Amino acid sequence: MAKVTNFFAGANSGGGFRNLFTELIDPEIFRDFIILKGGPGVGKNTFMREIGISMEQAGYDVEYLRCSGDPDSLDGVIIPALRCGVADGTSPHILEPKYPAAVDRYVNLGKFYDITAAKNDAEEIKQYTRLYQAAYAKAYQAFRAAREIERSAAMSAGFDSARAERRFRGILSREFRRENKNANPGRVTRRFLGSMTYQGYIWRFDSVEVLASRIYEIRDGFGFAGQYFKQARDAAVARGWDVISCVSPEEPERIEHLIIPGLRLAFISTRAHMEYNDNHKNHIQLRRIRLDALTEFQDKSPRLKTRMTDLLREEGISALREAKSAHDKLESVYNPYVDFDGVRALAALEAGRLLSFR
C-alpha cells in the first residue's frame, strides 16, 4: 500500500511568506519535474490532485505539499520512487527550470482560460486581487509583532545547556550505532511540517507517524531543541541516512522536527499551539523530554506575553481568513471561464508520462 505524507513548502510567519520551493527537488537526480503556470481558478489544484491520485493508484508513495493559504489545496506533489513531481510555479513561489525539458519543464494551464470572456470581468478581478494581497500584508504585520514579543521572552529564559547536552549525547549514541551500508553521505530534504493558515495552526504530525515508529518528543517553549536536532541531522547524514529536516517558519535556519525514515526514527518539538496528540497511536514508541524543565525562566510576566502573542496571532489568522474569502471570490469569477475537462485530460496525459519513467 502506498505511503502518503503531507508537508508544506511555504509557510506564513512573522517574516512574511517563507519559501522552500527552490529546494523541492534535486535537479541532478530527478527525471521529470512539472512547473505549473496559470492564474487563479485555472485548475492547478485539480491538475495536481489528479496526478497524486494516479500515482497512489499505481502503488507509489506520494508526498503532498499543502498550500499555506488553504491547507485543503495543493502546492505540489512529489513521487520519490519515480524521481518525478509537479508544483505550482506561480507567485509567491515562482519556479524556473534549471535543465529545461531535460529535467524540469513548464506546463501552461492558462490555455484553458476563455480569455475573451474573462476580460469582461476585469474590474472585479482587480478588486479581489487587491483585497487578498492587502489581507496578507495585514496578516504578516500581526505575525511580525507577535514574533518580536516571543523573542524578548526567549532571551530572558535561563537554560541549562550542559544538562541538555548530556541528555542528547546519550540519545545519539544509542540511536546512531547502525550505519547505512550506502557509502555516500545521506541527503537532507527541507520542509515545513506546518504553518499558520486561515484555519488556524496546522501541523501534520500524521506524516511523522507514517515515516517513524520511534519518536522523541521534546517539549520546547523557546526553540532550544534546534541545536540538538542539528547534531542529530549531522550524525545521521554522516552515517549515510537521508533525513527530512522540518524547519521553523519563523526561523528557517532552525530545525523544529527531524525525521530519519531509514531508521524509522523522528525527533519532534512541541509547544503551545504545536501539540502532538498520540493518545490513539499505541504502536508509536514515544519518549518525552522537557526542555522546559531544564530552564529557569525568570520573567515575571510570561502569561501577559503569551496572551499578547495569542491575540496578535489570532488577528493575523483573521486576516488570512479575509485573504481566503477574497481569493475564493476571485476564483469564482474565473471558474466559469475555465475548461476543467481539458485540465483533467491533460493531467491524465502527464500522469501517464510520469509513469512511463518506471
Side-chain angles (χ1 to χ4, degrees):
M1 184 171 148
K3 292 179 182 176
V4 173
T5 54
N6 292 271
F7 293 95
F8 291 75
N12 300 307
S13 77
F17 180 74
R18 299 295 195 180
N19 186 351
L20 299 178
F21 276 77
T22 57
E23 304 176 31
L24 283 184
I25 67 161
D26 182 349
E28 304 303 325
I29 65 171
F30 256 57
R31 289 173 174 169
D32 195 48
F33 186 58
I34 298 169
I35 299 172
L36 292 181
K37 296 296 183 180
V42 77
K44 296 188 292 294
N45 180 64
T46 297
F47 183 99
M48 290 184 281
R49 201 172 294 278
E50 293 287 326
I51 294 286
I53 291 171
S54 296
M55 297 301 121
E56 286 187 58
Q57 291 174 343
Y60 287 99
D61 294 351
V62 177
E63 176 191 353
Y64 289 105
L65 297 167
R66 295 287 162 180
C67 173
S68 60
D70 178 2
D72 293 326
S73 294
L74 297 175
D75 273 343
V77 177
I78 304 294
I79 309 98
L82 294 178
R83 290 180 285 155
C84 295
V86 54
D88 179 357
T90 61
S91 180
H93 34 74
I94 295 172
L95 291 170
E96 301 291 345
K98 182 174 182 179
Y99 301 118
V103 175
D104 34 9
R105 57 195 173 89
Y106 293 128
V107 167
N108 177 26
L109 299 187
K111 65 183 180 181
F112 295 108
Y113 278 136
D114 182 338
I115 295 174
T116 302
K119 287 187 180 298
N120 294 328
D121 290 320
E123 291 307 313
E124 195 172 7
I125 287 168
K126 292 175 185 177
Q127 175 191 355
Y128 291 135
T129 299
R130 295 186 189 109
L131 283 173
Y132 89 76
Q133 289 174 343
Y136 269 109
K138 184 164 64 172
Y140 293 144
Q141 185 176 22
F143 295 151
R144 189 176 303 114
R147 184 57 183 162
E148 289 302 319
I149 294 172
E150 274 185 340
R151 281 200 184 98
S152 68
M155 285 188 293
S156 62
F159 177 49
D160 187 347
S161 59
R163 185 179 174 192
E165 181 72 33
R166 289 193 300 273
R167 186 173 292 189
F168 274 85
R169 196 181 303 125
I171 292 171
L172 297 186
S173 66
R174 287 195 306 273
E175 295 292 352
F176 294 120
R177 291 172 183 168
R178 184 161 61 97
E179 292 195 10
N180 193 338
K181 293 180 180 179
N182 178 9
N184 298 319
R187 294 192 184 91
V188 178
T189 298
R190 291 208 312 164
R191 296 287 189 264
F192 297 115
L193 193 63
S195 176
M196 284 179 286
T197 77
Y198 85 96
Q199 296 177 9
Y201 295 86
I202 299 288
W203 306 105
R204 297 305 302 254
F205 285 111
D206 56 307
S207 295
V208 179
E209 294 171 353
V210 168
L211 298 171
S213 56
R214 297 190 323 285
I215 300 176
Y216 286 88
E217 178 188 357
I218 290 80
R219 186 71 184 179
D220 178 25
F222 300 110
F224 296 132
Q227 58 191 301
Y228 306 107
F229 290 177
K230 182 178 182 297
Q231 292 177 23
R233 179 200 66 191
D234 293 346
V237 168
R239 287 164 175 76
W241 300 106
D242 294 343
V243 303
I244 302 172
S245 179
C246 297
V247 296
S248 165
E250 296 293 354
E251 300 172 54
E253 67 281 0
R254 176 168 58 84
I255 304 172
E256 281 191 326
H257 319 281
L258 187 72
I259 310 170
I260 307 144
L263 291 174
R264 298 286 298 162
L265 173 68
F267 299 87
I268 62 172
S269 62
T270 57
R271 54 177 165 76
H273 305 300
M274 191 168 72
E275 304 286 356
Y276 172 56
N277 181 0
D278 70 310
N279 292 336
H280 60 294
K281 300 294 182 182
N282 295 326
H283 64 286
I284 297 291
Q285 296 180 34
L286 183 67
R287 305 171 189 185
R288 287 192 170 89
I289 300 168
R290 291 186 63 90
L291 288 192
D292 291 0
L294 304 179
T295 64
E296 297 175 1
F297 187 33
Q298 301 299 326
D299 196 300
K300 295 180 180 179
S301 56
R303 292 182 181 177
L304 174 61
K305 289 185 176 180
T306 298
R307 287 199 300 271
M308 290 171 65
T309 56
D310 285 350
L311 286 171
L312 285 165
R313 288 223 165 91
E314 184 50 48
E315 182 181 327
I317 290 167
S318 177
L320 291 180
R321 286 194 286 268
E322 293 176 23
K324 173 66 165 58
S325 176
H327 196 265
D328 285 349
K329 291 174 182 175
L330 179 64
E331 289 194 331
S332 70
V333 175
Y334 275 113
N335 281 167
Y337 308 136
V338 176
D339 175 11
F340 283 99
D341 288 338
V343 172
R344 292 187 184 92
L346 181 58
L349 178 67
E350 292 295 351
R353 192 195 306 273
L354 298 182
L355 289 170
S356 74
F357 292 118
R358 287 181 284 191

